Amino acid sequence: MERAAQTILFLILFTHFGAAQNAAKTGGGEFPVGVILDLGTLVGKIARTSIQMALEDFYAAHENYNTKLVLHIRDSHSNNVQAASAALDLLNNHNVQVIIGPQKSSQASFVSDLGNKTQVPVISFTATSPSISSGSLPYFVRATLSDSAQVNGIASLIKAYGWRQVVPIYEDTDYGKGIIPYLIDALQEIDTRVPYRSVIPLSASSEQITLELYKLMTMQTRVFLVHMSSALASKVFTKAKEVGMMNKGFVWIMTDGITNIIDSLNSSVVEAMDGALGIKFYVPKSEELDRFTVKWNRNFQKDNPNDPPLKLSIFGLWGYDTIWAVAQAVETVWINNRTSFQKPAVPRISTSMDILGTSAYGPELLKTILQNKFRGLSGYFDLSDRQLQVSTFQIINVIGKEWRKIGFWTSENEISQQLNHGKADYRNQSISDLNSVIWPGKSTEIPRGWEIPVSGKKLQVGVHRSMCPEFMTNEKNPITGTTKASGFSVDIFEEAVKRLPYALPYEYVAFDDNNDTGRSGYNDFVYQVYLKKYDIAIGDITISSNRTSYVDFTLPYTESGVAMVVPLRNSSNKKPSILLQPLKRDLWFSSSLLVIYTGVVVWLLEFLGSKTNARRPTAGKLGITAFFSLFGDKDRVERVLSRIVLIVWVFCFLLLGSAYTANLTTMLTIQQLTSNVTDFHALQKSGEYVGYRNGSYVADLLEQLGFDKSKIKSYNSRYEIEIALSMGSKNGGIAAYVHEVPYLKLFLAEHSQGYTMVGPLYKTAGFGFALPKGSPLLGDISKAILDIVEGETIIQIGNKWSVPHEKYSNVLPASVPDQLTTDRFKAPFMLSVVVSTSALLIAVIIYLHEKKNKLMTNIQGDQNKDGIEVNYKTQDGNKRGRIEENDQLEAGRDQNDQKQEETSSAVIYRSEKILTSRVIPISSSACY
């Protein structure tokens, strides 16, 4: 529809200008350039002065250039049709080769279509809407930033302050609507919702704006993002101040379309923006810019003598740099004495569309402009992507009639107080990265971003009757009609509200469930939040995946999981076989083989070493095999290789012994106080009956897990469940009571002596409170619940309602421990076998080597003995005489020695006799 309307408009305009098709050829070095602006607007006036100054400054700096731009400026009067009409006039009557402008995004869409047909580049430094794409308009160049370039900076700002909801307020034009898809995507990435979009027409009256603002006041959200022209923004902020929306608690954020010209706005309008934040394009300071600003102020007063002084904006700088880029490109591609347009022959009956020419220089001129890069007054000017590259934004805070910088945003560093080149962590952006802010109402307290509406009612808190009154019950006062709720869940909620950093008025609203506390009743209760009947639903509500599809849940405040309660039985297994149960049969067999193998290896090692152990009788050898000591008597194990084998063997059996002891201890402990039911799947296979509390979703869960529906029984009270458990499954009762852990704790609190809990068998998220999707209360209440659960308050509330908070001590594992298998000890057993075998091989090699050496020694000894005997025979005669003489001498010596010994013995005997005869009389006299 829009394309068809444009075509019709073009035909009308072409017909209107059909008579003016005698285009003059440009002479000499003059190069016609068209300029289309809204000269009645602030941006238009600022841009015209900047463009004219740019033309003078460029050729003053390049006096030797052969070309010179000739500007043909047209006023579009803020009208799309006028902009298209001006473009046709410039193309047909002035033969322009480049069009600078138009000013508005909606105008640029019309003019760019003409540029595509005539291959004339259309360069706009003010059309910022992302809806104008160079993909469909190849001759359109955006000498400014797209509005989509700032959405990440806005999202970072919102994330830093932790606001979860934002309401955009934008004008109903291509410029206003173009940014919205990009903004929504950026906000979704930081988990921020847009609950409402406020669209204001350009022609909206003050009354219409006031009504829209009152509508916004009835909503919870207090963070507003304004994206519109400066004229409409002035009306909106003025009315917002009048209705009280610029007071404490409100947050206003402006896009760069407003902040880039905030210095040129009326002081009363700026004062109405007091406390607002804004994203503003950052222009680095330079001496050249300062000199130009002084000169620009003087020229602007000359061009607009009846207007109040305005300050130079970024749009004026972009217009200045655009003229320099075009003038430089024209000089590069200009060819003298050549017609600028090649027009087809004009038939007798034709339309203006048929006689539109095609620029001969358009493609080359466009290519040169895109390749031209330089540092201008606005910063680095690069149009290689058919638009300016994303640069740096300032984050400003309006205070009174002025503004001040509170930080910067760049694509590399995100938010920071000062520009730097370090890489920041975008996940940890916070308000510490910004300077302090003066908020609306002169407040220094950071707004939380939402409020209970002034005209709204109290927070509607949905309550119901729980299957366990300890968690929640409610009653309605017949006189006042108010609902009173009590219970563990209610106390948790009320304590959480007390811990909020703000007052939160609320009232309880009872859920009319017709005493249906079943799963369907709970689902219907939670669904009321989605239907906006309740602002929050509290109680023993299980957090489940299907419910999270239409509501949000707070953090859980109870332990999670589904388990079962079973009767206890005292048993003491006195059978000797209990000692064999920790190990499986294969492990007993493999460990026995290892003992025998290790003993045999040790005996062989000792035998090959030729030690005493190897020569012992058979009983001694078996003793070494069965009993040994690593650090004991060396008579048992002497060889080093044997000791190495035993070290590894002892290591293996230390591991096996420790595991055996642990498993046996667990088995004995469980059997001292155990239940007939310890395994959920075994219960299922045996066909035992199980029970659940009527109304619980556990029945569906059991069916999903494979339980036969006929084996599932429902009960209405804990008393009935206790009787069924005591009867047992074979006597018409049940073998186990299956429910969520918080409910089972209540049951065990009453029957802790005869029952125990097995599990949990199935994980759940626990109990939580349900809120609407994107509720601003979610984060604050979850934080308060976390504080409660981590402190002593949860225990005090639990004691009040007999709801145990700590983990229940009388809980058995879901099954007895598994027997140990050979697979778990494969590595140490293999190590022992490898070491033993290696030691045996080494011993055999040593034994064979020693035996070989001994054999060689014996052979050499026999050879030496034969040689000695031959020598004895040759020398026997000589030696025999000498031997006889020696024997005679030795015999004489022996006789002399014998005589000397006899003489000495006789002397000793006589001496002893004399001494004896002298001592006896002395001794006798001493006795008397």
Side-chain angles (χ1 to χ4, degrees), residues 36 50 79 252 331 456 486 501 572 599 607 615 647 782 861:
I36 304 175
S50 297
N79 186 279
W252 292 85
E331 180 67 20
S486 60
S572 180
F607 175 81
R615 296 190 294 271
I647 289 174
S782 292

Side-chain angles (χ1 to χ4, degrees), residues 461-464 471-472 488-490 492-493 496 522 525-526 529 536-544 547-548 551-560 697 740 742-743 764-771 778 781-782 785-786 789:
V461 181
V463 294
H464 69 105
F471 279 99
M472 173 175 285
F488 178 77
S489 300
V490 176
I492 293 292
F493 170 73
Y522 275 72
F525 173 59
V526 175
V529 177
I536 183 174
I538 66 172
D540 50 341
I541 305 171
T542 301
I543 302 173
S544 60
R547 291 172 180 169
T548 56
V551 295
D552 283 338
F553 282 96
T554 63
L555 292 176
Y557 60 90
T558 62
E559 189 179 351
S560 63
Y697 76 95
E740 292 180 84
Y743 299 123
T764 62
F767 294 164
F769 303 149
L771 294 95
L778 181 64
I781 293 183
S782 292
I785 289 176
L786 186 62
V789 172

Side-chain angles (χ1 to χ4, degrees), residues 145 280-283 390-394 408-410 419:
L145 293 177
K280 188 177 187 292
F281 186 84
Y282 173 70
V283 180
V390 177
S391 184
T392 303
F393 288 99
Q394 290 183 99
F408 294 92
W409 182 90
T410 62
L419 286 177

Side-chain angles (χ1 to χ4, degrees), residues 291-305:
R291 290 194 298 268
F292 175 79
T293 302
V294 174
K295 183 179 178 182
W296 184 91
N297 290 332
R298 185 168 57 251
N299 287 357
F300 182 82
Q301 286 299 109
K302 293 179 181 179
D303 296 339
N304 304 276

